[in-house]
Amino acid sequence: MATLFLPVGPMPAFLLLRLFRALRLFWVIEPFARRLRGGTRALVRVALAAVIVVVAGSTSLLVFERSENPSLATPSLAGWSVFYSLVSGEPIPAPPSTWGGRVTSMLVIAAGLAGFATIAGTAGALVTETIRIGGPMVDWEELEGHLVICGWNRKAELVVREVTQAGQRADAPIVVITDAEGEPIFFDPLLRARVQFLHADFTEVATLERAGIRRASKCILLTDTSRGRSERDADARTILAALTIERLNRDVYTCAEVHSREHVPHLRMGNVNDYVVSGEHSAFLLAQAALTKGVMGIFQELLTLEYGNKFVSVPVPEAWVGRGFRELLAHMKDSHDALLVGVQCADGTTKVNPTKHTFEKGEALVVISSRDITL
């Protein structure tokens, strides 16, 4: 059999082969470990490292100790000795007799302590996070198709409540990015379990990346005047974040809130899907209430998902491509008891109650209905 000569004596080639195979195991399993959740991934890596330590440690002990220590003269004895030392934190059954064996034992014991610390830390973080948020710990890398809310103000809890009422997947948390001091207070404690806070600056690319913005389906940017920011500064941060988000993920649906309408052109140039001018829309509602008696009751019902009718967006089916608005208007009322009020065109514009319109591929219907509709 081929041998490798070291200062301590010949080393059988099969021992080197065992060591190389153990190292190859890491490169094979590591790509799969990356797909696991954070806690599970850490435990898999600890187990994989333990296998490598046992193989490498037993190989080293055989090299240094097999001619000096009968209790470590075979691969089986050396392997069990390393395993026991790794778990117990002391050389078992006895300290090696050579300097090379002693160094190997010290490294094995150190690896065992590091592995124990990793397991304890992972378990502690899981328990702490579960207690803190009242739900499972979130693995940021596993988030997909979720909602990201940038900033926090008094409207944020209403947004969370409406999204929850809309029936978003319970296993997809709502990620809120805010650098406000302390954790915001929820008037409804049940909503807190749906929210995962990321305490950081939402204008930074690294923060948005961690929140999974590249895999998010929707993003809402709220005007954040915390930390003494002025309304102008808050709008500047909103615009900067919105433009960054659109660059990172052009498919994400973004809606931004700003204090001043003068900043709207910046959002349009950045291809932000929708915007809300804070305070302006409430003024419009007050004016409509003064001009049209009873209209506020209609707005209150349509703008919330808690009760009654609501706005529903329905993709135009292929069967309706090329057909007219009036024809579908009657069909929606007769077949679905829903009122067709507008069309969202493929270019992003919206037509409300058009006199004439022929449906095209890629458009969506805007209807008023008490339930979700599938055409």
Side-chain angles (χ1 to χ4, degrees), residues 64-113:
F64 295 112
E65 294 287 324
R66 70 179 185 278
S67 60
E68 304 289 337
N69 193 341
S71 63
L72 300 174
T74 65
S76 176
L77 291 174
W80 282 111
S81 175
V82 171
F83 177 76
Y84 292 143
S85 300
L86 185 70
V87 174
S88 64
E90 59 178 312
I92 293 177
S97 56
T98 64
W99 281 105
R102 292 167 187 168
V103 171
T104 299
S105 294
M106 292 292 292
L107 293 176
V108 169
I109 292 172
L113 294 176

mmCIF file of all heavy atoms in Angstrom, residues 64-113:
data_model
loop_
_atom_site.group_PDB
_atom_site.id
_atom_site.type_symbol
_atom_site.label_atom_id
_atom_site.label_comp_id
_atom_site.label_asym_id
_atom_site.label_seq_id
_atom_site.Cartn_x
_atom_site.Cartn_y
_atom_site.Cartn_z
ATOM 1 N N PHE A 64 0.081 10.327 14.755
ATOM 2 C CA PHE A 64 0.987 10.644 15.856
ATOM 3 C C PHE A 64 1.037 9.581 16.949
ATOM 4 O O PHE A 64 2.052 9.422 17.627
ATOM 5 C CB PHE A 64 0.591 11.992 16.488
ATOM 6 C CG PHE A 64 0.758 13.162 15.576
ATOM 7 C CD1 PHE A 64 -0.350 13.857 15.105
ATOM 8 C CD2 PHE A 64 2.024 13.583 15.193
ATOM 9 C CE1 PHE A 64 -0.189 14.940 14.266
ATOM 10 C CE2 PHE A 64 2.186 14.677 14.351
ATOM 11 C CZ PHE A 64 1.079 15.363 13.886
ATOM 12 N N GLU A 65 -0.054 8.831 17.154
ATOM 13 C CA GLU A 65 -0.179 8.016 18.357
ATOM 14 C C GLU A 65 -0.165 6.502 18.127
ATOM 15 O O GLU A 65 -0.011 5.746 19.097
ATOM 16 C CB GLU A 65 -1.488 8.378 19.084
ATOM 17 C CG GLU A 65 -1.527 9.774 19.640
ATOM 18 C CD GLU A 65 -0.637 9.942 20.860
ATOM 19 O OE1 GLU A 65 -0.535 9.000 21.669
ATOM 20 O OE2 GLU A 65 -0.040 11.030 21.000
ATOM 21 N N ARG A 66 -0.330 6.029 16.909
ATOM 22 C CA ARG A 66 -0.551 4.589 16.754
ATOM 23 C C ARG A 66 0.660 3.750 17.187
ATOM 24 O O ARG A 66 0.502 2.605 17.607
ATOM 25 C CB ARG A 66 -0.933 4.268 15.313
ATOM 26 C CG ARG A 66 0.161 4.410 14.287
ATOM 27 C CD ARG A 66 -0.388 4.037 12.906
ATOM 28 N NE ARG A 66 0.651 4.048 11.900
ATOM 29 C CZ ARG A 66 1.084 5.137 11.274
ATOM 30 N NH1 ARG A 66 0.542 6.304 11.606
ATOM 31 N NH2 ARG A 66 2.032 5.057 10.357
ATOM 32 N N SER A 67 1.865 4.297 17.095
ATOM 33 C CA SER A 67 3.047 3.522 17.506
ATOM 34 C C SER A 67 3.404 3.752 18.969
ATOM 35 O O SER A 67 4.205 3.008 19.542
ATOM 36 C CB SER A 67 4.250 3.892 16.629
ATOM 37 O OG SER A 67 4.544 5.272 16.744
ATOM 38 N N GLU A 68 2.784 4.775 19.587
ATOM 39 C CA GLU A 68 3.099 5.114 20.974
ATOM 40 C C GLU A 68 1.987 4.762 21.956
ATOM 41 O O GLU A 68 2.240 4.572 23.144
ATOM 42 C CB GLU A 68 3.397 6.618 21.085
ATOM 43 C CG GLU A 68 4.512 7.127 20.177
ATOM 44 C CD GLU A 68 5.868 6.655 20.637
ATOM 45 O OE1 GLU A 68 5.991 6.325 21.837
ATOM 46 O OE2 GLU A 68 6.806 6.617 19.810
ATOM 47 N N ASN A 69 0.757 4.706 21.462
ATOM 48 C CA ASN A 69 -0.394 4.548 22.355
ATOM 49 C C ASN A 69 -1.282 3.424 21.825
ATOM 50 O O ASN A 69 -1.994 3.607 20.824
ATOM 51 C CB ASN A 69 -1.171 5.868 22.430
ATOM 52 C CG ASN A 69 -2.174 5.878 23.565
ATOM 53 O OD1 ASN A 69 -2.556 4.840 24.078
ATOM 54 N ND2 ASN A 69 -2.604 7.072 23.948
ATOM 55 N N PRO A 70 -1.281 2.252 22.459
ATOM 56 C CA PRO A 70 -2.098 1.120 21.986
ATOM 57 C C PRO A 70 -3.591 1.422 21.954
ATOM 58 O O PRO A 70 -4.336 0.819 21.172
ATOM 59 C CB PRO A 70 -1.780 0.002 22.987
ATOM 60 C CG PRO A 70 -0.449 0.383 23.572
ATOM 61 C CD PRO A 70 -0.439 1.876 23.620
ATOM 62 N N SER A 71 -4.057 2.351 22.816
ATOM 63 C CA SER A 71 -5.492 2.661 22.854
ATOM 64 C C SER A 71 -5.942 3.489 21.653
ATOM 65 O O SER A 71 -7.141 3.717 21.474
ATOM 66 C CB SER A 71 -5.831 3.414 24.148
ATOM 67 O OG SER A 71 -5.147 4.663 24.197
ATOM 68 N N LEU A 72 -4.989 3.937 20.841
ATOM 69 C CA LEU A 72 -5.324 4.712 19.646
ATOM 70 C C LEU A 72 -4.664 4.107 18.403
ATOM 71 O O LEU A 72 -4.323 4.814 17.467
ATOM 72 C CB LEU A 72 -4.860 6.176 19.809
ATOM 73 C CG LEU A 72 -5.464 6.956 20.980
ATOM 74 C CD1 LEU A 72 -4.798 8.316 21.103
ATOM 75 C CD2 LEU A 72 -6.970 7.125 20.794
ATOM 76 N N ALA A 73 -4.515 2.810 18.408
ATOM 77 C CA ALA A 73 -3.751 2.146 17.360
ATOM 78 C C ALA A 73 -4.570 1.809 16.126
ATOM 79 O O ALA A 73 -4.003 1.461 15.088
ATOM 80 C CB ALA A 73 -3.110 0.870 17.919
ATOM 81 N N THR A 74 -5.897 1.899 16.192
ATOM 82 C CA THR A 74 -6.735 1.556 15.044
ATOM 83 C C THR A 74 -7.649 2.732 14.701
ATOM 84 O O THR A 74 -7.938 3.580 15.557
ATOM 85 C CB THR A 74 -7.602 0.320 15.344
ATOM 86 O OG1 THR A 74 -8.538 0.645 16.389
ATOM 87 C CG2 THR A 74 -6.736 -0.852 15.781
ATOM 88 N N PRO A 75 -8.128 2.812 13.447
ATOM 89 C CA PRO A 75 -9.045 3.898 13.077
ATOM 90 C C PRO A 75 -10.291 3.952 13.949
ATOM 91 O O PRO A 75 -10.783 5.032 14.279
ATOM 92 C CB PRO A 75 -9.393 3.591 11.616
ATOM 93 C CG PRO A 75 -8.217 2.823 11.105
ATOM 94 C CD PRO A 75 -7.744 1.986 12.276
ATOM 95 N N SER A 76 -10.827 2.775 14.333
ATOM 96 C CA SER A 76 -12.030 2.758 15.168
ATOM 97 C C SER A 76 -11.768 3.379 16.534
ATOM 98 O O SER A 76 -12.540 4.212 17.015
ATOM 99 C CB SER A 76 -12.529 1.320 15.320
ATOM 100 O OG SER A 76 -13.636 1.258 16.186
ATOM 101 N N LEU A 77 -10.638 2.974 17.185
ATOM 102 C CA LEU A 77 -10.325 3.516 18.507
ATOM 103 C C LEU A 77 -10.055 5.027 18.434
ATOM 104 O O LEU A 77 -10.520 5.790 19.289
ATOM 105 C CB LEU A 77 -9.106 2.794 19.076
ATOM 106 C CG LEU A 77 -9.304 1.320 19.453
ATOM 107 C CD1 LEU A 77 -7.970 0.697 19.863
ATOM 108 C CD2 LEU A 77 -10.324 1.189 20.584
ATOM 109 N N ALA A 78 -9.329 5.451 17.418
ATOM 110 C CA ALA A 78 -9.041 6.875 17.285
ATOM 111 C C ALA A 78 -10.310 7.675 17.012
ATOM 112 O O ALA A 78 -10.507 8.768 17.550
ATOM 113 C CB ALA A 78 -8.026 7.091 16.166
ATOM 114 N N GLY A 79 -11.203 7.126 16.168
ATOM 115 C CA GLY A 79 -12.440 7.832 15.851
ATOM 116 C C GLY A 79 -13.337 8.012 17.062
ATOM 117 O O GLY A 79 -13.853 9.106 17.309
ATOM 118 N N TRP A 80 -13.509 6.939 17.847
ATOM 119 C CA TRP A 80 -14.343 7.049 19.052
ATOM 120 C C TRP A 80 -13.693 7.962 20.081
ATOM 121 O O TRP A 80 -14.390 8.706 20.788
ATOM 122 C CB TRP A 80 -14.585 5.675 19.655
ATOM 123 C CG TRP A 80 -15.626 4.885 18.926
ATOM 124 C CD1 TRP A 80 -15.434 3.765 18.179
ATOM 125 C CD2 TRP A 80 -17.022 5.192 18.866
ATOM 126 N NE1 TRP A 80 -16.617 3.337 17.645
ATOM 127 C CE2 TRP A 80 -17.626 4.203 18.055
ATOM 128 C CE3 TRP A 80 -17.822 6.184 19.404
ATOM 129 C CZ2 TRP A 80 -18.983 4.190 17.778
ATOM 130 C CZ3 TRP A 80 -19.181 6.183 19.127
ATOM 131 C CH2 TRP A 80 -19.750 5.186 18.322
ATOM 132 N N SER A 81 -12.393 7.969 20.175
ATOM 133 C CA SER A 81 -11.711 8.863 21.113
ATOM 134 C C SER A 81 -11.960 10.325 20.760
ATOM 135 O O SER A 81 -12.249 11.156 21.628
ATOM 136 C CB SER A 81 -10.205 8.568 21.117
ATOM 137 O OG SER A 81 -9.519 9.494 21.935
ATOM 138 N N VAL A 82 -11.854 10.651 19.457
ATOM 139 C CA VAL A 82 -12.103 12.025 19.025
ATOM 140 C C VAL A 82 -13.558 12.411 19.261
ATOM 141 O O VAL A 82 -13.864 13.523 19.705
ATOM 142 C CB VAL A 82 -11.724 12.184 17.539
ATOM 143 C CG1 VAL A 82 -12.186 13.536 17.008
ATOM 144 C CG2 VAL A 82 -10.226 12.040 17.355
ATOM 145 N N PHE A 83 -14.475 11.486 18.969
ATOM 146 C CA PHE A 83 -15.900 11.796 19.164
ATOM 147 C C PHE A 83 -16.204 12.074 20.635
ATOM 148 O O PHE A 83 -16.885 13.055 20.963
ATOM 149 C CB PHE A 83 -16.744 10.627 18.663
ATOM 150 C CG PHE A 83 -18.219 10.806 18.893
ATOM 151 C CD1 PHE A 83 -18.958 11.655 18.096
ATOM 152 C CD2 PHE A 83 -18.868 10.122 19.929
ATOM 153 C CE1 PHE A 83 -20.322 11.828 18.309
ATOM 154 C CE2 PHE A 83 -20.219 10.299 20.148
ATOM 155 C CZ PHE A 83 -20.951 11.146 19.334
ATOM 156 N N TYR A 84 -15.717 11.220 21.532
ATOM 157 C CA TYR A 84 -15.951 11.434 22.963
ATOM 158 C C TYR A 84 -15.316 12.739 23.433
ATOM 159 O O TYR A 84 -15.894 13.474 24.246
ATOM 160 C CB TYR A 84 -15.405 10.252 23.768
ATOM 161 C CG TYR A 84 -16.164 8.960 23.558
ATOM 162 C CD1 TYR A 84 -15.498 7.733 23.524
ATOM 163 C CD2 TYR A 84 -17.542 8.956 23.388
ATOM 164 C CE1 TYR A 84 -16.181 6.542 23.322
ATOM 165 C CE2 TYR A 84 -18.239 7.771 23.183
ATOM 166 C CZ TYR A 84 -17.556 6.573 23.151
ATOM 167 O OH TYR A 84 -18.239 5.408 22.942
ATOM 168 N N SER A 85 -14.110 13.027 22.954
ATOM 169 C CA SER A 85 -13.439 14.273 23.343
ATOM 170 C C SER A 85 -14.205 15.488 22.822
ATOM 171 O O SER A 85 -14.297 16.519 23.497
ATOM 172 C CB SER A 85 -12.003 14.288 22.806
ATOM 173 O OG SER A 85 -11.261 13.207 23.315
ATOM 174 N N LEU A 86 -14.740 15.374 21.624
ATOM 175 C CA LEU A 86 -15.511 16.473 21.036
ATOM 176 C C LEU A 86 -16.759 16.779 21.846
ATOM 177 O O LEU A 86 -17.125 17.942 22.053
ATOM 178 C CB LEU A 86 -15.888 16.106 19.599
ATOM 179 C CG LEU A 86 -16.596 17.162 18.754
ATOM 180 C CD1 LEU A 86 -15.647 18.293 18.417
ATOM 181 C CD2 LEU A 86 -17.148 16.537 17.468
ATOM 182 N N VAL A 87 -17.419 15.744 22.336
ATOM 183 C CA VAL A 87 -18.671 15.914 23.081
ATOM 184 C C VAL A 87 -18.422 16.297 24.529
ATOM 185 O O VAL A 87 -19.105 17.162 25.099
ATOM 186 C CB VAL A 87 -19.519 14.626 22.993
ATOM 187 C CG1 VAL A 87 -20.759 14.737 23.876
ATOM 188 C CG2 VAL A 87 -19.913 14.344 21.554
ATOM 189 N N SER A 88 -17.425 15.674 25.163
ATOM 190 C CA SER A 88 -17.225 15.861 26.607
ATOM 191 C C SER A 88 -16.357 17.056 26.937
ATOM 192 O O SER A 88 -16.410 17.580 28.049
ATOM 193 C CB SER A 88 -16.601 14.599 27.199
ATOM 194 O OG SER A 88 -15.301 14.384 26.644
ATOM 195 N N GLY A 89 -15.505 17.503 26.010
ATOM 196 C CA GLY A 89 -14.629 18.629 26.298
ATOM 197 C C GLY A 89 -13.364 18.250 27.039
ATOM 198 O O GLY A 89 -12.708 19.120 27.624
ATOM 199 N N GLU A 90 -12.981 16.984 27.021
ATOM 200 C CA GLU A 90 -11.745 16.526 27.652
ATOM 201 C C GLU A 90 -11.247 15.290 26.903
ATOM 202 O O GLU A 90 -12.044 14.583 26.283
ATOM 203 C CB GLU A 90 -11.963 16.185 29.123
ATOM 204 C CG GLU A 90 -13.007 15.107 29.358
ATOM 205 C CD GLU A 90 -13.142 14.781 30.832
ATOM 206 O OE1 GLU A 90 -12.111 14.580 31.492
ATOM 207 O OE2 GLU A 90 -14.289 14.749 31.317
ATOM 208 N N PRO A 91 -9.912 15.049 26.922
ATOM 209 C CA PRO A 91 -9.375 13.893 26.176
ATOM 210 C C PRO A 91 -9.811 12.572 26.790
ATOM 211 O O PRO A 91 -9.591 12.328 27.977
ATOM 212 C CB PRO A 91 -7.859 14.089 26.268
ATOM 213 C CG PRO A 91 -7.651 14.944 27.465
ATOM 214 C CD PRO A 91 -8.840 15.834 27.565
ATOM 215 N N ILE A 92 -10.446 11.739 25.983
ATOM 216 C CA ILE A 92 -10.939 10.430 26.433
ATOM 217 C C ILE A 92 -10.421 9.377 25.460
ATOM 218 O O ILE A 92 -10.453 9.588 24.246
ATOM 219 C CB ILE A 92 -12.479 10.421 26.488
ATOM 220 C CG1 ILE A 92 -12.965 11.380 27.586
ATOM 221 C CG2 ILE A 92 -13.020 9.028 26.741
ATOM 222 C CD1 ILE A 92 -14.462 11.483 27.672
ATOM 223 N N PRO A 93 -9.896 8.226 25.961
ATOM 224 C CA PRO A 93 -9.903 7.781 27.376
ATOM 225 C C PRO A 93 -8.777 8.374 28.211
ATOM 226 O O PRO A 93 -8.854 8.373 29.436
ATOM 227 C CB PRO A 93 -9.760 6.267 27.236
ATOM 228 C CG PRO A 93 -8.953 6.094 25.995
ATOM 229 C CD PRO A 93 -9.410 7.167 25.056
ATOM 230 N N ALA A 94 -7.734 8.904 27.558
ATOM 231 C CA ALA A 94 -6.612 9.465 28.309
ATOM 232 C C ALA A 94 -5.891 10.451 27.403
ATOM 233 O O ALA A 94 -6.007 10.389 26.170
ATOM 234 C CB ALA A 94 -5.651 8.355 28.754
ATOM 235 N N PRO A 95 -5.121 11.384 27.998
ATOM 236 C CA PRO A 95 -4.373 12.338 27.176
ATOM 237 C C PRO A 95 -3.371 11.627 26.289
ATOM 238 O O PRO A 95 -2.758 10.633 26.685
ATOM 239 C CB PRO A 95 -3.678 13.218 28.210
ATOM 240 C CG PRO A 95 -4.484 13.068 29.453
ATOM 241 C CD PRO A 95 -4.992 11.668 29.438
ATOM 242 N N PRO A 96 -3.193 12.091 25.036
ATOM 243 C CA PRO A 96 -2.210 11.491 24.136
ATOM 244 C C PRO A 96 -0.803 11.625 24.708
ATOM 245 O O PRO A 96 -0.519 12.496 25.538
ATOM 246 C CB PRO A 96 -2.367 12.291 22.838
ATOM 247 C CG PRO A 96 -3.726 12.900 22.930
ATOM 248 C CD PRO A 96 -3.964 13.159 24.371
ATOM 249 N N SER A 97 0.097 10.792 24.213
ATOM 250 C CA SER A 97 1.462 10.767 24.741
ATOM 251 C C SER A 97 2.433 11.588 23.907
ATOM 252 O O SER A 97 3.544 11.874 24.351
ATOM 253 C CB SER A 97 1.964 9.320 24.840
ATOM 254 O OG SER A 97 1.881 8.674 23.575
ATOM 255 N N THR A 98 2.073 11.968 22.684
ATOM 256 C CA THR A 98 2.973 12.748 21.834
ATOM 257 C C THR A 98 2.480 14.190 21.740
ATOM 258 O O THR A 98 1.304 14.489 21.982
ATOM 259 C CB THR A 98 3.049 12.150 20.418
ATOM 260 O OG1 THR A 98 1.755 12.252 19.797
ATOM 261 C CG2 THR A 98 3.447 10.682 20.467
ATOM 262 N N TRP A 99 3.407 15.089 21.348
ATOM 263 C CA TRP A 99 3.025 16.486 21.212
ATOM 264 C C TRP A 99 2.009 16.675 20.087
ATOM 265 O O TRP A 99 1.072 17.466 20.226
ATOM 266 C CB TRP A 99 4.271 17.338 20.952
ATOM 267 C CG TRP A 99 5.059 17.628 22.184
ATOM 268 C CD1 TRP A 99 6.243 17.066 22.564
ATOM 269 C CD2 TRP A 99 4.684 18.549 23.214
ATOM 270 N NE1 TRP A 99 6.656 17.561 23.782
ATOM 271 C CE2 TRP A 99 5.712 18.489 24.202
ATOM 272 C CE3 TRP A 99 3.615 19.404 23.415
ATOM 273 C CZ2 TRP A 99 5.679 19.254 25.358
ATOM 274 C CZ3 TRP A 99 3.586 20.171 24.565
ATOM 275 C CH2 TRP A 99 4.595 20.092 25.524
ATOM 276 N N GLY A 100 2.198 15.967 18.984
ATOM 277 C CA GLY A 100 1.218 16.078 17.913
ATOM 278 C C GLY A 100 -0.155 15.620 18.333
ATOM 279 O O GLY A 100 -1.170 16.243 17.995
ATOM 280 N N GLY A 101 -0.236 14.530 19.091
ATOM 281 C CA GLY A 101 -1.524 14.058 19.581
ATOM 282 C C GLY A 101 -2.158 15.022 20.552
ATOM 283 O O GLY A 101 -3.383 15.214 20.561
ATOM 284 N N ARG A 102 -1.322 15.655 21.406
ATOM 285 C CA ARG A 102 -1.871 16.623 22.366
ATOM 286 C C ARG A 102 -2.447 17.856 21.664
ATOM 287 O O ARG A 102 -3.516 18.362 22.042
ATOM 288 C CB ARG A 102 -0.774 17.029 23.352
ATOM 289 C CG ARG A 102 -0.344 15.903 24.284
ATOM 290 C CD ARG A 102 0.925 16.244 25.016
ATOM 291 N NE ARG A 102 1.418 15.102 25.793
ATOM 292 C CZ ARG A 102 2.616 15.031 26.345
ATOM 293 N NH1 ARG A 102 3.488 16.052 26.178
ATOM 294 N NH2 ARG A 102 2.981 13.958 27.021
ATOM 295 N N VAL A 103 -1.711 18.333 20.658
ATOM 296 C CA VAL A 103 -2.229 19.476 19.900
ATOM 297 C C VAL A 103 -3.534 19.117 19.203
ATOM 298 O O VAL A 103 -4.493 19.893 19.187
ATOM 299 C CB VAL A 103 -1.179 19.957 18.881
ATOM 300 C CG1 VAL A 103 -1.779 21.002 17.950
ATOM 301 C CG2 VAL A 103 0.038 20.520 19.595
ATOM 302 N N THR A 104 -3.592 17.910 18.649
ATOM 303 C CA THR A 104 -4.826 17.456 17.993
ATOM 304 C C THR A 104 -5.986 17.409 18.977
ATOM 305 O O THR A 104 -7.097 17.854 18.676
ATOM 306 C CB THR A 104 -4.612 16.068 17.371
ATOM 307 O OG1 THR A 104 -3.576 16.141 16.385
ATOM 308 C CG2 THR A 104 -5.893 15.557 16.714
ATOM 309 N N SER A 105 -5.727 16.875 20.181
ATOM 310 C CA SER A 105 -6.779 16.805 21.200
ATOM 311 C C SER A 105 -7.254 18.190 21.600
ATOM 312 O O SER A 105 -8.460 18.419 21.786
ATOM 313 C CB SER A 105 -6.278 16.045 22.426
ATOM 314 O OG SER A 105 -6.026 14.695 22.108
ATOM 315 N N MET A 106 -6.330 19.137 21.736
ATOM 316 C CA MET A 106 -6.718 20.497 22.095
ATOM 317 C C MET A 106 -7.603 21.126 21.017
ATOM 318 O O MET A 106 -8.597 21.786 21.325
ATOM 319 C CB MET A 106 -5.456 21.350 22.294
ATOM 320 C CG MET A 106 -4.623 20.955 23.513
ATOM 321 S SD MET A 106 -5.478 21.316 25.068
ATOM 322 C CE MET A 106 -5.475 23.095 25.039
ATOM 323 N N LEU A 107 -7.244 20.901 19.756
ATOM 324 C CA LEU A 107 -8.053 21.446 18.659
ATOM 325 C C LEU A 107 -9.437 20.807 18.619
ATOM 326 O O LEU A 107 -10.442 21.479 18.358
ATOM 327 C CB LEU A 107 -7.332 21.238 17.332
ATOM 328 C CG LEU A 107 -6.032 22.032 17.134
ATOM 329 C CD1 LEU A 107 -5.390 21.649 15.802
ATOM 330 C CD2 LEU A 107 -6.299 23.531 17.195
ATOM 331 N N VAL A 108 -9.510 19.499 18.874
ATOM 332 C CA VAL A 108 -10.807 18.809 18.896
ATOM 333 C C VAL A 108 -11.678 19.346 20.023
ATOM 334 O O VAL A 108 -12.875 19.602 19.846
ATOM 335 C CB VAL A 108 -10.599 17.290 19.041
ATOM 336 C CG1 VAL A 108 -11.929 16.589 19.326
ATOM 337 C CG2 VAL A 108 -9.971 16.721 17.781
ATOM 338 N N ILE A 109 -11.091 19.533 21.203
ATOM 339 C CA ILE A 109 -11.853 20.058 22.345
ATOM 340 C C ILE A 109 -12.334 21.483 22.051
ATOM 341 O O ILE A 109 -13.485 21.844 22.346
ATOM 342 C CB ILE A 109 -10.987 20.024 23.618
ATOM 343 C CG1 ILE A 109 -10.725 18.562 24.025
ATOM 344 C CG2 ILE A 109 -11.658 20.776 24.744
ATOM 345 C CD1 ILE A 109 -9.721 18.425 25.151
ATOM 346 N N ALA A 110 -11.462 22.309 21.442
ATOM 347 C CA ALA A 110 -11.866 23.667 21.086
ATOM 348 C C ALA A 110 -13.011 23.667 20.081
ATOM 349 O O ALA A 110 -13.954 24.467 20.173
ATOM 350 C CB ALA A 110 -10.668 24.434 20.526
ATOM 351 N N ALA A 111 -12.956 22.746 19.115
ATOM 352 C CA ALA A 111 -14.040 22.635 18.139
ATOM 353 C C ALA A 111 -15.348 22.227 18.809
ATOM 354 O O ALA A 111 -16.426 22.712 18.460
ATOM 355 C CB ALA A 111 -13.666 21.638 17.046
ATOM 356 N N GLY A 112 -15.252 21.316 19.789
ATOM 357 C CA GLY A 112 -16.456 20.906 20.517
ATOM 358 C C GLY A 112 -17.082 22.054 21.286
ATOM 359 O O GLY A 112 -18.306 22.223 21.288
ATOM 360 N N LEU A 113 -16.240 22.882 21.939
ATOM 361 C CA LEU A 113 -16.770 24.036 22.674
ATOM 362 C C LEU A 113 -17.404 25.046 21.726
ATOM 363 O O LEU A 113 -18.460 25.620 22.035
ATOM 364 C CB LEU A 113 -15.634 24.690 23.472
ATOM 365 C CG LEU A 113 -15.036 23.838 24.599
ATOM 366 C CD1 LEU A 113 -13.853 24.561 25.242
ATOM 367 C CD2 LEU A 113 -16.090 23.503 25.659
#
